[in-house]
Amino acid sequence: MTWLMPDFPPIGIPVHGQPTDGMADQLVKYIVARWPEASHRFLYANPNRVWSMLASGEQACFTGALRTPERERFAYFRNTYLLPPPQLIIRPEVLAAIPLNAKDEAEPGPLMNNPALHGVVIEKRAYGHAVDALLAQPAASPNIKRLAASNYGKTIFTMMTMDRGDYTIDYDFVLAYAASTDAQLARLKAIPLAGADALIVGGIACPRTAWGRSAIQKIDALLASREGSSVLLQAQARWISKESALRYNEAMKEFFRRLETPQKYEHP
């Protein structure tokens, strides 16, 4: 079994090519411990490589997948995460130029269409339906640089402190983790995005093939229990902010309760 892993702390925190205690790491280690008959290997890959492999039907499964309608056309998904919505991460020097509404939320349309502000995002990475739709609009393209990065964007924060970008979009807990390892990143600020307040569903993705269906059913069988659901919840709760945990507590409890029941997967 080949596990495609994200090098994206604190979701994936590889050490010498092995999973440690990130969200996806804890998840895959739980599965591997209960699947001894398979031989397991871990391949840390960037978004371009991951989704190209799955779209071509390669026999591998990705542990840090955000679920989108486009991806569901060529991949099976087993839900494992319910994440708070990503936020706008900015350099403090541009705060006065950020278009805010009455709730102090950044208005993403005017923001992305402003040629005086330069954004940086990762190519092939999903940011949630509302943000992805805006990024797909031609008007935003001249003002946003898309990086085909070797990781999921963990170098973007450093780029911003060097004035090589005014803003990016990411999770507040990802920024908090990065700032805990590099004090200069604590200068960056997170602002909620208007219209992008939906929780993000993520999980494991396998190719939409006969092999992928068999693999995702096995994974689902190993996770579909009260113990499995509890492991998923704790893997996530360890890293998200206390504010997010309190704000979305009921939704998250219901989400993980539903994961105790096996899911159904249609034929490819």
Side-chain angles (χ1 to χ4, degrees), residues 10-13 18-26 29 177 235 238-239:
I11 294 176
I13 310 176
Q18 298 295 309
T20 57
D21 59 352
M23 289 184 196
D25 299 330
Q26 295 174 68
K29 287 197 296 184
Y177 180 90
R238 177 175 182 178
W239 294 111

Side-chain angles (χ1 to χ4, degrees), residues 44-67:
Y44 285 84
N46 65 38
N48 272 328
R49 186 178 184 187
V50 165
W51 295 110
S52 293
M53 289 177 67
L54 293 184
S56 65
E58 292 197 37
Q59 294 185 0
C61 295
F62 179 44
T63 61
L66 292 194
R67 193 165 188 160

Side-chain angles (χ1 to χ4, degrees), residues 36 59 98 220 232 246 252:
Q59 294 185 0
I98 302 298
D220 182 53
L232 298 180
L246 288 172
M252 288 182 176

Side-chain angles (χ1 to χ4, degrees), residues 127 134 222 248 266:
Y127 293 92
L134 284 167
L222 294 171
Y248 301 111
E266 300 174 356

